[in-house]
Every structure is written in C-alpha cells, then in structure tokens.
Amino acid sequence: MAYSQLPFASIENEFLRVEYLTTTGPRIIGLFAKGVEGNLFAETPDVHWPVPHGEFYLRGGHRLWKAPEDSFYNCPEEGVTVIAGESVILRSPVDVSGLEKEIEFRLDGNRVHLSHRITWHGESPLELAPWTITQLRLNSLGIFPLQGVAGTDSAPNRSIVIWPYTSLKDERLELHDDFVLVHGKPGDVPLKVGGLNTHGWLACALGKALFVKRFAVEEGTFPDMNSNVELYVKDVCIELELLGSLKTLKQGDSAVLTETWEVLVGEFPATLETAYQVRKQLSNLSTNGENNG
C-alpha cells in the first residue's frame, strides 16, 4: 500500500475493511469492499505543500477540516490518540491554530457511521463549520442530485456554486436537470462545484462499487455561498465533501457533523446511465425512510 510507511490499524466485518492511521491524524486512509479490488480511497502519499505552520501532507482518504477555507487553520497533522472498542475514536491534539479534531466511526454491515467533532480552544470566539473531505480514486463519477424540473412555481429550486478556477466548459463537468456530474479524471487545473443539497446524499460510481455519503439535512447557514456539499477534482483524486452549518464557538465549544458511508458492490461504470440509475435507486431508498441507517 502506498501509505504503508505510516503505522495504521483496521477494523472489518464481512462486507468492509476500514484502515486508519495510528500516529497522525485523525485520518481514515483505506476503504475496502469484499469482492472489489483495491482501495476505494485515493492514496496520495507524495502530495504536500507548505502551510503557515509547517508542511501539510495530503495522504488521501478521509479527513476533517474547518470551513470556511483558511490556510491558517490547515495545520500539519501531528499525533493522534486512538481509542478502539465497538467504535474507533481518532482524536488529534490541539493544533497550533487552536483546533482539536476528532473522528469516531463504527461498521454496520455495508455501512460506516461517522461522527466528526471540532473543538475550539482559542480565547476569542470563532465562527466555523465542520467540513469532511473524502478523497476517492480516479476513473470515477461524482453525482450531486438536484431537485430537477417540476411544476411552474416561480421560486427557484436549485443552486449551483462555482469556484473561480472552474470552467463551465471543462469536459469533466456535466450539468443536467436532475444532477450535476463531475468526472474523476486528472487535469492540469482543478474543478469544483457545490450547492445546497436537500436530498441527503452524494455518490461516486467507482466501476465495481458505488460509494454513497449520506447525511441529515441541517437547517442554518452554510459556508461557500450556502453550500452543504461540494465536489472537487484535479490530478490525484475526486473529493466528496460535506459541510455543516456555521456556528460561533467560544473557548471549549464543539461543532459536530455526522454522516454515513454506504458501499454497494456491482456494476457502476462512470456513465450518464449509471447516474440516472443511482439517482432513482437512492431517491427510492430515501422515500422509504432508509436514508440514515
């Protein structure tokens, strides 16, 4: 494995294996599904860049950040406390910016339930939102569901947020009435879109597996022009990102964001037909009350 130079441990059941780093983080670094070859997560051990407090290593997998984006708070991951039982808790020390991050997760069949917590230790109040970033391997298709075309109501029912470096002519971006698609293909420039997702899921078709990120739809105001989900791709991975609502934290206060991953094994090529199939399947599950297991 590309990250095997770092100590890691794992939990598994008959469907999934989840691997996490044990000396730095909090970071979930591997997601493996029985019957599917390889890590569903991207592995990026050689990608790093300078931040105000040192060097940040991307590493791949799943991490917890603070929104809105501010490089001052993107600190190098130094140390982690691991508490392993029925669930696994990964807790960082308080970093030099004043943030303490924690990811707790447990397996449940073909699902992983996660709770993310950011605690603020600075003296002055800070407005932030938890921001979870899941990096998946390329040759894939990210699916962001929209409300679709319905009725003649004069009020808007869809929003798409575009980042300054994103070109609407980028071949990796497809806009449809029912969803936005982002193709997980490498490029020299990044592409990022987001928006307010009221469906409670994002998905990524990975060929032989479908990765679904499920979440409760919060009320409140979100970062990035009121986005609670974002899709990003550049050269080494595609990212499915979830954001909580903005909260002002005093010293010792925490903000929490929960989500559930679901992995379906089957034929999920990175095509428009797959996107329609996935949207129909997941919308039916939501209607039947199976959105948050």
Side-chain angles (χ1 to χ4, degrees), residues 64-288:
L64 172 61
W65 268 17
K66 166 215 166 283
E69 181 86 50
D70 185 336
S71 63
F72 177 81
Y73 297 96
N74 298 341
C75 297
E77 296 174 347
E78 297 178 346
V80 69
T81 298
V82 179
I83 304 172
E86 292 186 5
S87 63
V88 175
I89 299 173
L90 307 175
R91 183 179 301 134
S92 77
V94 180
D95 65 31
V96 293
S97 76
L99 296 176
E100 177 187 16
K101 300 174 185 175
E102 177 183 295
I103 302 176
E104 180 175 3
F105 61 95
R106 64 179 177 87
L107 295 179
D108 174 21
N110 67 331
R111 296 184 175 190
V112 185
H113 301 292
L114 303 100
S115 177
H116 309 82
R117 179 183 300 271
I118 295 182
T119 303
W120 174 235
H121 291 270
E123 294 183 2
S124 300
L126 178 68
E127 185 181 55
L128 61 77
W131 178 12
T132 66
I133 302 175
T134 308
Q135 296 180 305
L136 297 154
R137 64 195 191 192
L138 294 175
N139 300 313
S140 53
L141 180 68
I143 305 168
F144 167 15
L146 300 174
Q147 289 300 102
V149 176
T152 58
D153 197 328
S154 58
N157 71 338
R158 286 165 286 179
S159 67
I160 302 172
V161 177
I162 310 296
W163 268 251
Y165 47 76
T166 297
S167 170
L168 295 178
K169 297 179 181 180
D170 194 314
E171 294 182 350
R172 295 172 295 181
L173 176 65
E174 287 189 46
L175 302 179
H176 296 272
D177 289 334
D178 296 324
F179 37 66
V180 175
L181 303 181
V182 173
H183 289 268
K185 296 179 180 178
D188 293 332
V189 296
L191 182 153
K192 188 169 186 176
V193 296
L196 186 62
N197 178 334
T198 60
H199 289 262
W201 62 266
L202 281 175
C204 188
L206 294 154
K208 297 297 183 180
L210 179 73
F211 175 86
V212 184
K213 185 190 282 267
R214 298 181 181 275
F215 54 93
V217 180
E218 286 187 58
E219 294 183 356
T221 302
F222 298 88
D224 299 341
M225 298 177 68
N226 209 37
S227 297
N228 66 345
V229 300
E230 296 169 0
L231 291 172
Y232 174 90
V233 66
K234 189 186 176 188
D235 52 353
V236 294
C237 66
I238 183 170
E239 295 180 353
L240 270 60
E241 306 176 4
L242 176 64
L243 300 98
S245 59
L246 288 163
K247 294 179 172 60
T248 299
L249 303 184
K250 300 177 183 177
Q251 188 175 42
D253 288 346
S254 300
V256 176
L257 182 60
T258 62
E259 63 188 73
T260 294
W261 303 338
E262 182 177 11
V263 179
L264 304 177
V265 175
E267 296 297 326
F268 298 97
T271 63
L272 179 60
E273 292 74 19
T274 295
Y276 278 112
Q277 170 196 339
V278 168
R279 191 185 192 284
K280 181 178 179 181
Q281 180 177 355
L282 296 182
S283 295
N284 287 340
L285 287 176
S286 298
T287 300
N288 293 334

Side-chain angles (χ1 to χ4, degrees), residues 32-48:
F32 299 82
K34 301 297 173 64
V36 181
E37 183 177 356
N39 192 356
L40 300 183
F41 285 168
E43 301 178 10
T44 59
D46 300 322
V47 180
H48 57 95

